[in-house]
C-alpha cells in the first residue's frame, strides 16, 4: 500500500505492525502552493504546467524524475487563501530534492507572472539559471 507521499506501507499478515519504506521502487514529491483566494486558478495552472514541463526537460533534474510533474488542482480552500497541489514521481529518496527545486521554480515563475504567493511557501533550494 502507498501513502499520498508515495511511501510504501507494509502490513504483515496476522500482525498489527507497519513498516514505512521511502526507498522502494519510487517516491512522490508533493508540493502544495498557497495562493490568495483571488488568484486566477486557470492562469496559475498554466504556469505550473509550464514549470512541470521545464523541470522534466532540465538535464540535471530529469534523471531524478520518473514522469513529468502533474498539477492535481485545488487541494484546499481557507479564509482568504487556497492551495493548489502539484506532484511528481521520483527516484526513491529523491522526492525531497525534487520538491525543494519545484518550490523554488514555482515561486520564481509565479512572481515573474505577478502572482502574489501566500507567506508560507517554502522556497529553499538552489536558484536555477535560465
Amino acid at each position: 500500500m502507498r501513502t499520498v507521499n508515495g511511501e510504501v506501507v507494509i502490513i504483515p499478515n496476522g500482525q498489527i505492525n507497519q513498516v514505512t519504506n521511502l526507498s522502494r521502487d519510487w517516491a512522490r514529491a508533493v508540493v502544495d502552493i498557497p495562493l490568495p483566494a483571488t488568484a486566477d486558478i486557470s492562469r496559475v495552472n498554466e504556469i505550473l504546467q509550464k514549470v512541470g514541463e521545464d523541470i522534466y526537460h532540465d538535464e540535471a533534474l530529469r534523471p531524478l524524475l520518473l514522469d513529468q510533474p502533474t498539477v492535481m488542482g485545488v487541494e484546499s480552500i481557507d479564509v482568504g487563501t487556497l492551495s493548489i497541489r502539484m506532484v511528481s514521481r521520483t527516484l526513491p529518496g529523491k522526492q525531497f530534492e525534487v520538491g525543494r527545486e519545484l518550490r523554488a521554480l514555482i515561486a520564481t515563475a509565479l512572481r515573474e507572472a505577478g502572482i502574489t504567493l501566500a507567506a508560507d511557501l517554502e522556497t529553499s533550494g538552489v536558484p536555477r539559471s535560465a
Side-chain angles (χ1 to χ4, degrees):
M1 177 171 60
R2 285 198 187 268
T3 68
V4 70
N5 292 324
E7 303 161 338
V8 176
V9 178
I10 300 168
I11 304 170
N13 285 336
Q15 296 182 14
I16 305 177
N17 292 323
Q18 177 175 313
V19 176
T20 302
N21 184 327
L22 294 175
S23 62
R24 183 172 179 177
D25 301 328
W26 57 271
R28 181 176 287 142
V30 179
V31 177
D32 289 332
I33 302 103
L35 298 160
T38 57
D40 180 345
I41 296 170
S42 296
R43 177 70 178 125
V44 171
N45 284 338
E46 290 173 9
I47 293 167
L48 296 178
Q49 292 280 357
K50 177 74 167 97
V51 169
E53 291 171 13
D54 290 348
I55 198 170
Y56 191 67
H57 293 97
D58 183 284
E59 290 181 21
L61 294 169
R62 174 64 180 98
L64 306 179
L65 302 171
L66 298 179
D67 47 34
Q68 182 171 311
T70 304
V71 179
M72 302 301 289
V74 177
E75 180 64 22
S76 66
I77 300 174
D78 293 311
V79 176
T81 64
L82 59 86
S83 180
I84 295 180
R85 178 167 285 180
M86 188 170 190
V87 299
S88 182
R89 284 189 330 133
T90 71
L91 291 177
K94 298 300 182 183
Q95 68 270 29
F96 307 111
E97 180 179 347
V98 170
R100 284 188 299 272
E101 194 62 38
L102 266 173
R103 285 180 190 90
L105 293 171
I106 289 166
T108 300
L110 291 174
R111 282 189 196 119
E112 287 175 355
I115 298 171
T116 304
L117 296 168
D120 59 348
L121 177 64
E122 178 186 333
T123 57
S124 61
V126 178
R128 306 210 39 93
S129 57

